Amino acid sequence: MQKNDEFIIDIIDVTSDGSGIGKQDGMAVFVPLTAVGDRVKVKALKVKKTYAYGKLIEILNPSGDRIENDCPVFNKCGGCAYRHISYSAESKLKENKVYEAIKRIGGIDLKPQKILTGGSYLYRNKAQYPINCEGKAGFYAFHSHRIIPCKKCLLQPEIFEKILIAVEEFVREYNISIYNESVHKGLLRHIYLRIAEATQEIMVTLVINGSNLPYDEALIQRLKAVCGENLKSVQLNINRKDTNVILGDICKVIYGNPYITDILCGIKVRLSPLSFYQVNRQMAEKLYQKAAEYAKPDNKEVLDLYCGAGTIGLSMAKKAKSVIGVEIISEAIEDANYNSKNNNIHNAEFICADAACAADMLAKRNINPEVVIVDPPRKGCTQELIKIITDEFKPLRVVYVSCDPATLARDIKQFTQCGYSLQEYTPADLFPRTTHVETVALLIKK
Ligand code: SAH
């Protein structure tokens, strides 16, 4: 195969980032925007030794999974991967993605429980928009810092678009300078929006390369006109660093409270701009209910590692004998302690530390949890942590909540080599229309 060759292939599989895969001359060809079951005409864009990247030229025979794409920036903005196939096809792909990872990387051939789905398609309760040099908010293109202007995102509540329009008008009228990352100059870097779905409380945070926002009163008036009573918090996040990390460490309230409050699994959850919170509240509830079903916390000691603002552990605390949460970000631990008090929970304790260090320390304190929950970031648990769990705590049940099937599978393998077996696992679609999928797995002591 040579670059620019054109040929016809059948799409037989998808990659983890949503590209279709076909075969030509014994080589895998990756073709974005295709669906399993398509027969397509493709042009080779890049040819390597064992695989190639192709561009879709024409769909000769469409897959039965295809639907009409409804978003003008699909495949430009870097958000959705699956607006061209039905949701039922997408959820099957995700179920299979988790199954394949556990089989291939984890070495265990066990079918998943049915993927958890449902909730709103406008599910995102959080968005961070860069702003282009003309003062238009949008999203970064896939793997890039090119800004695709877009205010109406089909995964986000409609109020976000109205807020963006208000901020853009304010920026134009008061000549607020826009941050230019190539020269590290200009004031406004990002607009960061959060909504607490259950209460509809709204938080607007402007990330700025400076310490003040001129004419901030005028901005607040405009935001009030758009959000009404639901506007509970307007903040500045100070980020003067020459970095592509979006948020700085310091937040300054310019209107209302420093946080908004959502309700998750019956728990009031205080959210400040810096603390982690699942972006899909309705599906997070289903995920945590499944985690509780696996954990069986009734009258047991529960250890919740990587606990964020404490949500998983607190949602089980009323049934459990005690809960200990561990998290590395101090603001999240402050939120966890507050959330515990605010919900009249008296049997929870939170520790700000690295999960493995805290586990080591707790093992020395002779803590004996019957259930250990882990919910690590994408890179998964450290080997050291798994060793402490399996050799020191030896809990009857480990509940593993994961946002990355590959590292989940890797870690499950280590657990199974250390006296645990994978009882069952359930994928959960917290991110419809994107490639991401969560999983909750139950490991039991052999
Ligand atoms: N369980 C929480 C948060 C999960 S996200 C929830 O469901 O909302 C993963 C969390 O792990 C984040 O809050 C992150 O700050 C935290 N984290 C990352 N590295 C860590 C480490 N080494 N030790 C402890 N916590 C860590």
Side-chain angles (χ1 to χ4, degrees), residues 271-318:
L271 300 169
S272 37
L274 298 177
S275 54
F276 175 90
Y277 188 58
Q278 289 286 6
V279 297
N280 183 338
R281 190 190 69 93
Q282 294 175 27
M283 284 305 300
E285 287 194 330
K286 290 195 183 185
L287 176 72
Y288 293 176
Q289 276 155 14
K290 185 53 84 178
E293 204 181 289
Y294 285 173
K296 298 202 193 68
D298 303 60
N299 284 318
K300 305 294 186 239
E301 290 179 26
V302 177
L303 180 57
D304 177 13
L305 300 172
Y306 305 93
C307 71
T311 42
I312 299 183
L314 290 174
S315 72
M316 299 179 191
K318 293 237 158 97

Side-chain angles (χ1 to χ4, degrees), residues 80 87 90 94 118 120-121 123 155 280 429-434:
C80 295
Y87 184 65
E90 175 189 336
K94 289 181 172 174
S120 167
Y121 278 126
Y123 59 86
L155 303 182
N280 183 338
D429 193 8
L430 271 70
F431 315 101
R433 312 276 77 180
T434 77

Side-chain angles (χ1 to χ4, degrees), residues 220-265:
I220 290 160
Q221 290 317 317
R222 275 161 202 258
L223 293 174
K224 275 187 184 167
V226 169
C227 307
E229 288 292 297
N230 291 337
L231 184 70
K232 295 291 186 220
S233 174
V234 183
Q235 307 199 31
L236 302 176
N237 175 270
I238 315 298
N239 185 356
R240 289 170 168 283
K241 290 196 188 135
D242 189 357
T243 165
N244 55 21
V245 175
I246 296 177
L247 296 176
D249 299 329
I250 296 167
C251 296
K252 240 166 94 173
V253 177
I254 57 172
Y255 172 79
N257 300 323
Y259 51 80
I260 53 175
T261 303
D262 204 358
I263 299 170
L264 186 73
C265 296

